Every structure is written in structure tokens, then in C-alpha cells.
DNA sequence: TAGCAATAGTTGCTATGGCAACTATCTATA
DNA sequence: TATAGATAGTTGCCATAGCAACTATTGCTA
């Protein structure tokens, strides 16, 4: 273990980069009047891909606390982008899915998201992407 | 630009990894009764390194919004780890520095931080660290 | 030098994040 | 089958994040 590993603030650069990305995304969302947050987008994206899932499943997919998911869903329900359906099998469970407006919102936002992802990865190669993914995965698995 | 660049949620893995790191750090802080948060630690670390700086300078060093810095400082002042000193040259400015208790807190927490950084970088090389740093720097500079 | 723009910092508001405590429901088992 | 434990989700609390609006001060310039 070399000095740079321990002297360098390990999470600081991650934090700074992530904040810059989220800020950039949010400003673009706002500039286009999309009326959603970046985390709300993440939820919408997952509901589009997985159709009909519970809060718990959504929490795992988004790496969010279930309480946070619960609150984001509440905001999206108020915006009429998501609807809740109580399960009949297990009355504790609530299934979530996009409303038609939610699906429209997904399709409206998606091209901008692709564009912003390209902007972030400019000047980087496919190999860089894989390296980063690999390293983040190792860090993730290192932590108990 | 290959498909993986645009199909893969670019910030999601960063976000998930960062949350895992912060959680792990916070649990260790709490388990040892250190009575600070991870972000408060970042502020203490910067005040230890830079001695006597303003809110604005601290905000730049920590990549935090000045409002957030202002609030974290308030919490640290209440804990008597940080003290404020109004500038005489420019009465808008407030200089911040660690109290003796703040310096003690730094020295108490520092070994644990080094340990946790090593845990995060386990199974990774110096080269991996540099790769990650390079890639994050490019992403950061890509974003307007 | 009067007044306006810029700067330093604070406060209010809303959203996300995590923990603890809570309700409601379901499952397992004595 | 009564009950204890597990599970799904919500709510309260506090911390961080960012924006807008605000006060106080300073610097610039007409």
C-alpha cells in the first residue's frame, strides 16, 4: 500500500464528480422545464424498465433507502407520473408503475439523458469505461 | 461512442459506491462514539490542513455549496470543535479555525480514516488509483 | 462622493439520505 | 390456533445539497 492510497481523500473526488454530474443534469432538466429531479428520473427509468415492482425492489434497483424511495414515489404520484396498486395476494405490498403520462415523461427525457451521458464520457474510451466500472465494483465489494 | 457508454447509467454506479463508502465511514464513526458526520470530518480535515480560512475558501476546498458549509460550520461551532473570527480588514469575512478540541478530534479520527481508506482500496493497485483519478478528472472537466 | 455592482455570509424552502420507531400484514411454530 | 417473529411500507427526525432571497459590507465609477 503506497502513501497516495492513504493520503488521498478516497471519497472526495467521487463526491465532487458526482455532484458536478447531478448539477449539470438538473440544470438541463430545469432549462427544459421537465419538472423532475435527477433522482426522480432514476426512479422513472427503473419503472420503465421493470414495469410493475414494489418499493422494496425499486429501492434495490436504485441503491436507495426504502424511505427515500417511498418519498420520491409520493412526489411522482402527486405529479401523476406513477401509480400505486395494492397487491391482492399480500396486502402489505404495493405495486408501482408508470402512468401513461409517466411513460411520456420517460420518452421526453430519455434523449437528453443520452446526450448528457455522452458529454460526460467525452475524451474517454470504452476501455476507460470498463476500467472505471471494474474499480468501482472492487471498492464496492471491499466494503463490509 | 459505443452503446455501453450511453445505455449504462453513467452516474448510478458512482452514486451507489459513494453511498456505500459514506455509510461504512459513518457506522465506524458512530461505533466509536466520535459524534461527527462524514461531511463534518471533511471540513475538520480541511481546517486542520489550512488553518485559518473563510467559508468561501472552505467551500471550494470541500466542493460544497457555501450554504452547506455555513451550516456544517454552525454545527461544529456548537460542538466547540471550530471557532469563528471576524476579519478586521474586511468585516464581511469570517475566518474559521479548529479549536484545541477540534485538533484533538482530528488526531483521534485520523487513524480510523487511514484504516478505512485502506479497506476501500484493498485488492487494487497504485495504477488503479491513478486510473480512477484520471478518469474522474476527465469526466469532471467534460462537464460545463 | 453618491450610488450601484460585487462579494461574504445567512436564512428559507424543497429534495435526498439514513436511522429509529411505528402500523399493518403475513409466516412459522408451539 | 394463538402468538411471536419477519416483512412491507410510512412517518419523524436530523444532516447534506442547491437555489433564491436577504443583510451587511466593500469596491468601482459616473
Amino acid at each position: 500500500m503506497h502513501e497516495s492510497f492513504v493520503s488521498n481523500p478516497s471519497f472526495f473526488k467521487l463526491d465532487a464528480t458526482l455532484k458536478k454530474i447531478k448539477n449539470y443534469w438538473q440544470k438541463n432538466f430545469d432549462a427544459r422545464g421537465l419538472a423532475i429531479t435527477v433522482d426522480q428520473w432514476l426512479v422513472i427509468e427503473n419503472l420503465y424498465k421493470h414495469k410493475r415492482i414494489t418499493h422494496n425492489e425499486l429501492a434495490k434497483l436504485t441503491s436507495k433507502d426504502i424511505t427515500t424511495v417511498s418519498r420520491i414515489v409520493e412526489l411522482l404520484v402527486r405529479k401523476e407520473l406513477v401509480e400505486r396498486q395494492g397487491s391482492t395476494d399480500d396486502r402489505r405490498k404495493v405495486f408501482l408503475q408508470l402512468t401513461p403520462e409517466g411513460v411520456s415523461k420517460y420518452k421526453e427525457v430519455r434523449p437528453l439523458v443520452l446526450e448528457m451521458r455522452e458529454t460526460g464520457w467525452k475524451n474517454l474510451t470504452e476501455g476507460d469505461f470498463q476500467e472505471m466500472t471494474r474499480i468501482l465494483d472492487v471498492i464496492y465489494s471491499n466494503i463490509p
Side-chain angles (χ1 to χ4, degrees), chain A:
Chain A
M1 185 72 55
H2 298 74
E3 170 58 12
S4 65
F5 285 178
V6 290
S7 66
N8 206 296
S10 60
F11 72 85
F12 172 69
K13 200 178 277 285
L14 272 182
D15 186 67
T17 307
L18 183 61
K19 274 192 282 204
K20 186 143 188 196
I21 294 171
K22 275 199 175 179
N23 245 276
Y24 171 62
W25 282 45
Q26 190 63 57
K27 279 193 210 306
N28 273 276
F29 283 0
D30 293 348
R32 284 167 177 75
L34 296 173
I36 56 168
T37 67
V38 175
D39 292 287
Q40 287 166 16
W41 163 254
L42 185 60
V43 164
I44 289 171
E45 195 178 41
N46 274 281
L47 285 177
Y48 184 83
K49 286 181 186 159
H50 300 279
K51 306 303 174 198
R52 197 162 171 278
I53 55 179
T54 64
H55 289 74
N56 245 320
E57 292 164 337
L58 190 50
K60 275 171 201 144
L61 288 167
T62 55
S63 278
K64 291 185 183 300
D65 199 281
I66 188 174
T67 57
T68 302
V69 166
S70 184
R71 283 166 184 137
I72 292 177
V73 163
E74 173 62 23
L75 294 176
L76 292 176
V77 167
R78 280 193 215 152
K79 289 177 186 172
E80 302 185 347
L81 299 175
V82 168
E83 59 187 10
R84 300 191 184 97
Q85 288 182 343
S87 166
T88 46
D89 307 6
D90 183 342
R91 283 188 300 160
R92 293 170 303 179
K93 284 190 185 174
V94 178
F95 289 108
L96 303 169
Q97 60 184 13
L98 294 180
T99 60
E101 292 82 5
V103 173
S104 297
K105 183 64 77 175
Y106 173 82
K107 289 178 178 164
E108 184 186 4
V109 178
R110 174 83 172 150
L112 172 60
V113 162
L114 296 184
E115 208 181 285
M116 292 190 295
R117 282 178 186 161
E118 288 205 23
T119 300
W121 279 96
K122 209 170 47 189
N123 307 315
L124 291 167
T125 67
E126 169 73 28
D128 292 330
F129 179 79
Q130 284 168 5
E131 273 293 273
M132 166 107 133
T133 301
R134 176 183 66 83
I135 294 170
L136 290 176
D137 284 340
V138 174
I139 294 174
Y140 194 92
S141 66
N142 280 341
I143 296 177

